[in-house]
Amino acid sequence: MARKIIKWLIALLGGVIGYGLVLLVTSLVKFDFSKLGYEIATYVAAVLLFFIIFYLSSEFFIDRVRKLIDKLDSDIKKLSVLDVILGTVGFLIGLGLSYIAVKIISGIKIPIVVDILSVIIYITVIMVSMAIAVRRKDDLEAYIRRYKSAGTDATKKFLDTSVIIDGRILDALRTGFIDGDLIVPSFVLEELQFIADSSDSMRREKGRRGLDILNQMTHEFKDQVRVVDFEKDKKTTVDLALLELTKKEGGVVMTNDYNLNKVAGVKSIRVLNINDLSSALMPVVLPGERFELQIVRQGKEPGQGVGFLNDGTMVVVEDGSNLVDSTQHVEVTSVLQTSAGRMVFVKIV
């Protein structure tokens, strides 16, 4: 019903346009149809002609307008508040500049030329001003981030999947050493759910563990930990989407993913790595130090044995592959420290 009404309205608009065109033509050529006795017939013919044309074309117009509205609606939803503010500022600046320019050309003695130039100036200057203003958004966001970095850049912490599954962040929260907002983007939660539904039993266990830990965090620290809806492009990976979101919001990433840590460094995004925190709190083991160690299994390389310190640090024992399940007196030869963890290399003494 509504579509039929719109079709008739479009047809009526066509009739009005036909009538207006006859008025325009007669005023330009200064021809009086009444002298020929065809004045009424001319107007009726024009109105009927454009009425029929617009009615027959109404389906095309309706479909085009609907698609345009859908596209505009989709584009508007993608706009941030900053886009709207900058666009409005650009519009007002363009409006002011256009007014000044039109005043300058108003001295031209040909009215129709002035009118045409005025329309062109207004449209062009306003569009260019809006485009320039919106394109400076990155500079403005960078300035805002620098302004915030004076003391609040770490108040927003965005959690990735690995740090939730790891679980140590919950213990760190309980100690009270982590302050500020801990934000879990909706696409990170979706990845956790995907892992929890995996056909691989190990991945499934990790995913379920992550969901359990997140559930505990949101209940114990409901004023600090929250899941927030953020849209992610389907072609963008979760890690890249997390980094883009963190950069846009001016926060920091919390992770224990070694590769994500490196990529964030390349993008100049601050990272709080749980492994770095854990390593910093581990007891210091120095080259030359001696202690008792139980060798629990063989290492990856030929001749190596593997044991563990009380804090879980892996210890690689030179020539210890044949001494599995025995306790040996060892001496530290070197310590390897990375964001992925710490490894201690020892020899039997």
Side-chain angles (χ1 to χ4, degrees):
M1 183 66 182
R3 195 178 183 90
K4 287 183 178 180
I5 293 173
I6 293 172
K7 288 177 67 174
W8 282 109
L9 288 174
I10 291 173
L12 288 172
L13 176 63
V16 172
I17 290 173
Y19 182 84
L21 284 174
V22 174
L23 283 177
L24 178 63
V25 171
T26 53
S27 64
L28 289 176
V29 300
K30 302 187 183 303
F31 183 76
D32 188 1
F33 284 99
S34 60
K35 293 180 180 179
L36 299 177
Y38 298 133
E39 182 180 8
I40 296 176
T42 302
Y43 280 108
V44 171
V47 169
L48 285 176
L49 177 62
F50 279 86
F51 182 92
I52 293 169
I53 291 173
F54 273 65
Y55 181 82
L56 295 175
S57 306
S58 59
E59 288 287 347
F60 174 80
F61 286 132
I62 292 171
D63 289 338
R64 289 288 179 179
V65 170
R66 187 177 61 186
K67 288 179 181 178
L68 179 61
I69 292 173
D70 290 342
K71 187 177 186 306
L72 286 173
D73 182 58
S74 176
D75 291 341
I76 289 171
K77 286 179 179 178
K78 294 177 182 177
L79 292 176
S80 65
V81 175
L82 190 57
D83 287 322
V84 175
I85 293 173
L86 290 175
T88 304
V89 171
F91 174 81
L92 294 174
I93 292 173
L95 195 62
L97 293 174
S98 301
Y99 178 79
I100 294 171
V102 169
K103 280 291 184 183
I104 293 173
I105 67 167
S106 61
I108 299 175
K109 302 300 182 181
I110 308 174
I112 192 169
V113 173
V114 173
D115 293 339
I116 294 172
L117 285 177
S118 297
V119 171
I120 293 173
I121 288 171
Y122 270 105
I123 293 174
T124 304
V125 175
I126 289 175
M127 289 183 66
V128 171
S129 298
M130 290 177 68
I132 291 173
V134 172
R135 288 182 181 179
R136 306 312 299 177
K137 183 178 75 170
D138 291 341
D139 294 337
L140 182 58
E141 286 180 337
Y143 173 79
I144 293 172
R145 283 197 298 272
R146 287 196 297 271
Y147 177 77
K148 287 183 176 180
S149 65
T152 60
D153 62 335
T155 55
K156 288 185 179 180
K157 301 174 181 67
F158 293 88
L159 277 55
D160 82 330
T161 311
S162 66
V163 79
I164 299 172
I165 293 174
D166 177 86
R168 287 176 292 177
I169 188 171
L170 178 57
D171 296 325
L173 274 170
R174 287 169 176 164
T175 65
F177 277 95
I178 299 179
D179 61 357
D181 296 328
L182 273 67
I183 301 170
V184 181
S186 53
F187 52 79
V188 169
L189 177 60
E190 289 171 6
E191 186 178 44
L192 273 175
Q193 291 174 323
F194 178 77
I195 295 172
D197 292 333
S198 173
S199 57
D200 184 277
S201 59
M202 186 175 293
R203 279 176 59 82
R204 187 166 60 247
E205 266 317 301
K206 286 183 177 181
R208 289 176 179 176
R209 169 181 165 79
L211 291 173
D212 289 340
I213 291 169
L214 181 58
N215 187 52
Q216 284 183 268
M217 288 167 60
T218 53
H219 278 80
E220 291 185 36
F221 304 93
K222 57 184 178 181
D223 294 330
Q224 190 175 1
V225 181
R226 64 183 191 274
V227 178
V228 181
D229 286 332
F230 288 104
E231 289 188 7
K232 179 183 80 69
D233 192 297
K234 292 182 179 179
K235 296 180 181 179
T236 306
T237 64
V238 171
D239 285 352
L240 287 179
L242 182 66
L243 293 178
E244 289 174 3
L245 175 62
T246 304
K247 189 170 185 178
K248 180 180 179 181
E249 296 291 326
V252 299
V253 174
M254 290 197 74
T255 183
N256 64 357
D257 186 313
Y258 179 79
N259 293 324
L260 180 60
N261 193 96
K262 291 298 182 184
V263 176
V266 172
K267 292 180 174 288
S268 300
I269 297 172
R270 186 178 171 190
V271 177
L272 298 178
N273 192 308
I274 294 296
N275 284 334
D276 289 341
L277 175 63
S278 178
S279 299
L281 299 176
M282 285 180 179
V284 177
V285 180
L286 300 174
E289 186 174 343
R290 296 186 178 187
F291 53 86
E292 297 286 332
L293 177 72
Q294 183 181 10
I295 303 173
V296 296
R297 60 180 172 83
Q298 293 184 347
K300 291 183 178 180
E301 300 298 327
Q304 287 183 344
V306 173
F308 294 91
L309 299 179
N310 292 334
D311 59 15
T313 302
M314 179 183 287
V315 181
V316 179
V317 185
E318 184 181 344
D319 298 325
S321 60
N322 296 325
L323 300 171
V324 175
D325 294 330
S326 67
T327 300
Q328 301 293 323
H329 198 65
V330 297
E331 180 181 323
V332 178
T333 56
S334 62
V335 179
L336 179 63
Q337 180 69 59
T338 70
S339 291
R342 181 174 65 165
M343 291 180 66
V344 178
F345 294 86
V346 300
K347 64 181 180 180
I348 298 171
V349 293

